[in-house]
Amino acid sequence: MAELKDKLRADLSAAMKERDTVVTGVLRMTLAAVGKEEVAGKQARELSDEEVLRVVSKEAKKRDEAAEAFRGAGRAEQAGAEEREAEILRRYLPKPLGDDELAQLVAEAIGEVEAELGERPGMKQMGQVMKAANAKAAGRAEGGKVAALVKAQLAG
């Protein structure tokens, strides 16, 4: 059973006891998203911690995008509320990688693909490098940022 899911449930209970409506609402929606993911597909299943982490990350990203949209529409109050919700979800996510750490990780991924192929990968092998880099990043870096670094290192 997923430890992260258990932690979300325990924190939900604590927030309900403290009558913290914001945290309660965010955790309920997140657990609902986890539940929806568990029953998606042909057969219901229990999600692993990694899969639950992916759902939490997706939910946080939704809040960030909503905050940006609200801010663009001149609705600062709603944008602030979305940002607070995203911050609550970030408590459950691993610390994001810094730029130097991410560059090192991409270099390692390129090295692994180079060892597989026997030659330095080019832009044609970007997919293979991305797969290796994303596996190493494991939700601690945004996909677009990883892709930009991979592209820059393969082209450079």
Side-chain angles (χ1 to χ4, degrees):
M1 185 143 170
E3 290 177 28
L4 182 56
K5 186 176 171 185
D6 290 340
K7 180 163 176 40
L8 287 169
R9 284 184 178 147
D11 289 353
L12 173 63
S13 293
M16 289 169 71
K17 287 176 184 172
E18 293 171 12
R19 299 190 188 282
D20 188 339
T21 56
V22 175
V23 174
T24 300
V26 171
L27 294 180
R28 274 188 175 151
M29 283 190 276
T30 303
L31 284 167
V34 169
K36 182 178 177 187
E37 190 69 27
E38 287 178 333
V39 297
K42 295 183 182 202
Q43 188 174 5
R45 62 191 171 83
E46 188 77 25
L47 296 183
S48 68
D49 268 342
E50 186 178 304
E51 291 169 318
V52 172
L53 194 64
R54 230 178 284 135
V55 171
V56 173
S57 178
K58 192 182 338 177
E59 290 295 311
K61 189 173 182 178
K62 282 182 193 177
R63 302 306 192 290
D64 290 334
E65 290 169 355
E68 196 174 306
F70 280 132
R71 189 161 285 106
R75 299 173 72 181
E77 191 175 314
Q78 284 95 341
E82 292 291 334
E83 286 171 346
R84 284 189 295 280
E85 289 183 8
E87 202 53 49
I88 291 166
L89 291 172
R90 278 194 201 91
R91 294 180 202 162
Y92 300 96
L93 299 174
K95 182 179 163 270
L97 293 170
D99 291 340
D100 294 338
E101 293 172 308
L102 190 56
Q104 176 64 34
L105 189 136
V106 169
E108 290 172 12
I110 290 173
E112 287 177 12
V113 173
E114 186 174 348
E116 261 179 48
L117 298 174
E119 62 184 17
R120 176 139 172 93
M123 290 306 287
K124 287 184 178 180
Q125 290 82 22
M126 183 174 172
Q128 289 175 289
V129 176
M130 281 296 298
K131 184 176 180 181
N134 280 330
K136 288 178 172 290
R140 297 180 300 163
E142 195 174 301
K145 196 172 182 181
V146 175
L149 265 171
V150 168
K151 198 172 201 176
Q153 286 193 24
L154 288 178

